[in-house]
Amino acid sequence: MNKLSVIWSFIGRHKYWVVTVIFLLIIGVFDENSLIRRFEHRREIHALKTEIERYRQRYEEDSKMLKEITGNKDALEKVARERYLMKQENEDIFVFQKDTEKE
């Protein structure tokens, strides 16, 4: 019973500090919206924003290419030859690949 009275007297003398420490632990660590989780969510949001920006740039490039392809027959033929390895009947295609095997 002596230890319990010592604890209660400590809490009675330092009640504001005890409440402040408990509050900071709850807010900083244990709560569903803790500071740790807020930092994790902020990092995730930043990563998603960079991914959105990358897709936006890719969309703009693809839209530009689509407008060019639909308006110009030569551009359509160029894309078909480069990307899809299409050819005219009297042509041969040579595809060069880099050696990926490291020695």
Side-chain angles (χ1 to χ4, degrees):
M1 190 82 161
N2 191 14
K3 289 183 182 181
L4 187 59
S5 64
V6 170
I7 293 172
W8 278 112
S9 67
F10 178 79
I11 291 174
R13 279 185 273 136
H14 304 292
K15 58 187 163 197
Y16 296 113
W17 287 108
V18 171
V19 170
T20 304
V21 168
I22 291 172
F23 175 75
L24 290 175
L25 280 175
I26 289 172
I27 295 299
V29 179
F30 298 122
D31 191 28
E32 192 174 301
N33 298 319
S34 68
L35 294 175
I36 296 169
R37 289 192 182 149
R38 283 183 181 240
F39 289 127
E40 290 172 0
H41 291 311
R42 187 171 290 162
R43 186 177 57 229
E44 184 179 352
I45 287 171
H46 179 70
L48 290 173
K49 283 183 179 180
T50 56
E51 187 176 354
I52 287 171
E53 186 60 33
R54 188 178 71 233
Y55 283 128
R56 183 174 291 132
Q57 289 175 353
R58 185 173 173 188
Y59 171 76
E60 290 173 3
E61 291 171 2
D62 290 344
S63 296
K64 181 181 172 185
M65 183 177 283
L66 179 64
K67 286 180 183 178
E68 186 178 327
I69 287 173
T70 56
N72 189 357
K73 183 181 176 187
D74 294 332
L76 176 64
E77 188 175 319
K78 178 183 175 185
V79 169
R81 288 176 184 222
E82 290 177 357
R83 286 195 180 176
Y84 303 111
L85 302 176
M86 294 183 172
K87 65 178 185 119
Q88 292 180 352
E89 291 186 17
N90 59 352
E91 291 181 332
D92 292 328
I93 294 180
F94 297 99
V95 179
F96 297 100
Q97 296 179 348
K98 292 183 179 179
D99 188 18
T100 58
E101 182 179 319
K102 294 183 179 181
E103 295 179 17

